[in-house]
Every structure is written in C-alpha cells, then in structure tokens.
Amino acid sequence: IGYGVGDNESSEEPMVFPLLKADKVRQAMAEILPQMLEESVYHKPKKGSLHYFFYGLGFILALIAAGVSIYCTMYVDYCQQVWILGALILFYSVTGRVLEYKNAAIYGNFENISLSYGGFRKITIFVKATHVESVTAKASRWKERKGVASVTVSYLAPLAAANKVAKNVPIEAFDEVKTKLIY
C-alpha cells in the first residue's frame, strides 16, 4: 500500500500486505491512508457496451487461430485434435474480454481519482487529484453516440505506470473526473 511512514522522503518505506481479501485491504487502507477512502460511486461500463471490449487485435487473432485450427482439423490428416487448441485460445480470449468488462470502473472526487481495470488480474489504483496531469476521453463516432468512451488518466509517475485507462465507461465519468481536477 504505497509509501507512508514518515514525513520526509528519506525515511519512507513501502508497505506490503500480501494475500489480503478485498474487504481487509479497504480496512487497512482506512487505517493507514484515510485520505484514500472510496467516497464516491464507481462508474462502470454501460449494459450495452460489452461488445466494444471485443474490438481489438487480441480477439481478432484468437478468432484467426480458432479458424486455422478448425481448417487444419478438417483438411490435414495428422492434425485431428488441433481444434481443441483453437477452442482454448478463443475461450481464453472471450473470458478475458468479459472480465475486462466486469473490472472496468472509474470515479473521482476532489482528493483522489480511482481506476479499476484488467482482465484476469484486476488492478485498482488511487491517484491524488493534485498529481493528475491530464484526463483524456477517446471514443469513435459510434461510441460517442452511445455515450461511451475510454478514459485515460495521466499522472506524475514513471512512464510505465503514468497512463492508465478505464475502457468503455460512460462519458459522464470523464466529465465528473474532469470537473474534480484542481487545474
């Protein structure tokens, strides 16, 4: 759970709480970092936006792999069981996309912004509103008409961790987070 024993940077140490359930993590955060409490309601993807998660290179490659494996099963003599591999790849891809849909969420208040994202591994981050550099919403024409956008929060951090995306959330989430920023 971040950094936080001491007031100056030289005495701060990272704290790790392995294998805690979600309610215990929230309880520990409430005790150690009360300013990071979840005070607002998360904006989750709209009900009809599941199909937007399937528009991507990974899912297209899984479909191609499944098609090639079925083709090999039908027309190549020594590849009779290859369709199982293609079916597993497709199942893995579909399951990952559905989990991305279930895990995507964002909220913001005047103190912090929180994002939740990921497929098989759910990641939830909290960023202080004072450290946020920019908030961006990206949407195609079709998504924009449906009121859906992918919201990117850029904040002061190393480049690998600085830009996080909550995919296909309601556009109102972007407006809410944007109005809570101090800049």
Side-chain angles (χ1 to χ4, degrees), residues 125-127 131-133 153-164:
I125 62 167
F126 288 91
V127 181
H131 290 97
V132 174
E133 292 179 332
V153 176
S154 301
Y155 54 94
L156 300 172
L159 191 56
N163 298 319
K164 298 302 177 191

Side-chain angles (χ1 to χ4, degrees), residues 108-179:
N109 58 30
F110 289 106
E111 292 182 12
N112 57 50
I113 294 172
S114 177
L115 283 114
S116 178
Y117 61 93
F120 289 99
R121 185 178 66 167
K122 180 180 178 182
I123 299 169
T124 303
I125 62 167
F126 288 91
V127 181
K128 290 183 180 179
T130 56
H131 290 97
V132 174
E133 292 179 332
S134 68
V135 177
T136 310
K138 295 179 186 176
S140 64
R141 294 270 186 223
W142 296 283
K143 283 185 181 181
E144 192 174 3
R145 287 182 191 148
K146 298 283 186 176
V148 176
S150 294
V151 179
T152 304
V153 176
S154 301
Y155 54 94
L156 300 172
L159 191 56
N163 298 319
K164 298 302 177 191
V165 179
K167 293 182 180 179
N168 304 319
V169 294
I171 197 87
E172 295 86 24
F174 169 70
D175 294 333
E176 180 182 314
V177 169
K178 184 177 66 170
T179 58

Side-chain angles (χ1 to χ4, degrees), residues 67-144:
V68 167
S69 67
I70 290 171
Y71 176 82
C72 288
T73 299
M74 292 170 50
Y75 296 109
V76 179
D77 292 334
Y78 55 89
C79 296
Q80 296 302 316
Q81 303 302 321
V82 175
W83 68 271
I84 296 172
L85 180 62
L88 287 175
I89 291 171
L90 187 61
F91 177 76
Y92 179 79
S93 181
V94 168
T95 305
R97 300 300 170 142
V98 170
L99 287 174
E100 282 182 21
Y101 170 75
K102 291 184 70 157
N103 293 336
I106 186 171
Y107 89 83
N109 58 30
F110 289 106
E111 292 182 12
N112 57 50
I113 294 172
S114 177
L115 283 114
S116 178
Y117 61 93
F120 289 99
R121 185 178 66 167
K122 180 180 178 182
I123 299 169
T124 303
I125 62 167
F126 288 91
V127 181
K128 290 183 180 179
T130 56
H131 290 97
V132 174
E133 292 179 332
S134 68
V135 177
T136 310
K138 295 179 186 176
S140 64
R141 294 270 186 223
W142 296 283
K143 283 185 181 181
E144 192 174 3

